[in-house]
Amino acid sequence: MKKTIPFFDYSHIHGQYSNELTKIILDLSMKGSFIMQGEVKKFEENLSSFLGAKYSLGVGNCTDGLLLAIKAAGIGYGDEVIFSSHTFVATASAIYHSGAKPIPVECGHDHLIDIKSIEAAITNKTKAVIPTQLNGHVCDMDELIKLCHKYNLILIEDSAQSLGAKYKDKFAGTFGIASAFSFYPAKVVGCYGDGGAVVTSDDQIYNQVFLTRDHGRAKIGEVVTWGMNSRLDNLQAAILDFKLSKYNLDIQRRREIASIYDDGLRDVKELVLPAAPNANPDKFEIYQNYEVEVQVASERDGIRTDLKNNGIGTILQWGGKAVHEFEGLDLKYSLPYTENLMRRCFLLPMNTSLSNDDVNYIVESIRKYYNYGN
Ligand SMILES: Cc1ncc(COP(=O)(O)O)c(C=O)c1O
């Protein structure tokens, strides 16, 4: 029987805990606790202890968080910062708005920043690398850190998509001088609007972002530096704190879904799948997204249309373009591997609203399309 499986189902995600979440919103609304109240601090402390980091700072969104972290690290005009072009434009725009020059490089087969391409792009102006821990997977951090040491580069992680992912038992977002997380509603831990956090164990970065996220104010009435308004709303912090307390269950479920996809599709030669859970003992993936590739670009429309006809929603990340391909950004680079990948990859549904039946239905639809038996 035909099912309807949207790419993302917000009502289901809210419905899982609607009583608890509604109570949180009502209670705080009645108290008038909206800006920089205790819930922000509580969430920051719980996020730090979840990640094993010294500090977390709630901010308006991950893009601001990256910008605040970049500036706090002393990066700006005259500097170049390297990032993978297979990322959301936010990684690059945060670099751009700091005054530094964003330098896009290739991603590799794992869709994460390609270490060799970083090395080839280093100049005497290169000040930092911002890897994106994409789709809930973590880069090979030993290699990346080695490279950063070799060339004296600052490491800041775009961890927007990787809360809870690990490399050698250390959490994404805790490898560099700072990182930024996103709590956009469709993220693994999502709030009811925009939200983000800067995570760091560096006292200087913490002190600076603490000031700059709130107009440079040390306390009300005392401005000590130039800052901006990028605070995490108190309501959002309370919602996030509740969701964080349940998050380990969600991680487990996402990994189960990834296993069902992997078991059901591994022999389908027409598709390239992401790494399966436990495939690499050094890595622990949380599957923010399940990004698959067709072997040949011209075949992507066919499978996506067939899935759509079967009621299954898929999407192209970033609308199907790498950052350097957006002409309006005037980044004139040629990155053939990433460009080719962008024409071949798409996202299958991956979130905790999916039942095993749903995932098996998606698997069966794909197998039928490519004429594989069940
Ligand atoms: C890889 C990546 N970086 C940065 C961001 C920006 O996050 P936010 O929307 O919270 O600013 C996102 C959000 O989609 C993202 O996926």
Side-chain angles (χ1 to χ4, degrees), residues 60-64 66 87-88 90-91 132 134 158 160-161 181-184 187 194-196 317-318:
N61 53 72
C62 177
T63 316
D64 284 357
L66 286 169
T87 187
F88 188 43
T91 324
T132 297
L134 191 72
D158 180 338
Q161 297 197 354
F181 287 87
S182 174
F183 306 119
Y184 180 85
K187 291 290 188 267
D194 278 312
Q317 203 158 202
W318 339 122

Side-chain angles (χ1 to χ4, degrees), residues 182-244:
S182 174
F183 306 119
Y184 180 85
K187 291 290 188 267
V188 281
V189 173
C191 59
Y192 287 10
D194 278 312
V198 172
V199 168
T200 183
S201 293
D202 182 287
D203 293 346
Q204 189 269 331
I205 298 275
Y206 170 76
N207 289 332
Q208 188 66 12
V209 175
F210 181 85
L211 295 172
T212 52
R213 71 169 170 179
D214 186 26
H215 300 294
R217 292 187 292 187
K219 56 183 185 203
I220 289 173
E222 193 184 330
V223 175
V224 296
T225 187
W226 289 107
M228 57 198 250
N229 179 358
S230 186
R231 302 175 297 230
L232 178 64
D233 290 343
N234 203 58
L235 274 179
Q236 306 294 5
I239 290 166
L240 289 167
D241 199 46
F242 175 79
K243 289 196 167 186
L244 186 64

Side-chain angles (χ1 to χ4, degrees), residues 28-85:
L28 291 176
S29 303
M30 290 307 290
K31 279 201 268 175
S33 300
F34 296 118
I35 306 284
M36 292 304 221
Q37 304 288 316
E39 283 70 20
V40 174
K41 191 153 192 295
K42 183 163 169 265
F43 173 60
E44 290 172 344
E45 284 169 3
N46 285 334
L47 182 61
S48 300
S49 80
F50 177 85
L51 291 171
K54 197 163 169 189
Y55 305 112
S56 300
L57 293 127
V59 291
N61 53 72
C62 177
T63 316
D64 284 357
L66 286 169
L67 174 61
L68 291 166
I70 291 167
K71 292 180 82 152
I75 299 161
Y77 291 99
D79 297 328
E80 293 179 354
V81 179
I82 295 172
F83 70 101
S84 161
S85 202

Side-chain angles (χ1 to χ4, degrees), residues 112-123:
L112 304 170
I113 197 163
D114 180 57
I115 307 275
K116 284 202 180 68
S117 305
I118 300 176
E119 194 154 20
I122 291 173
T123 70

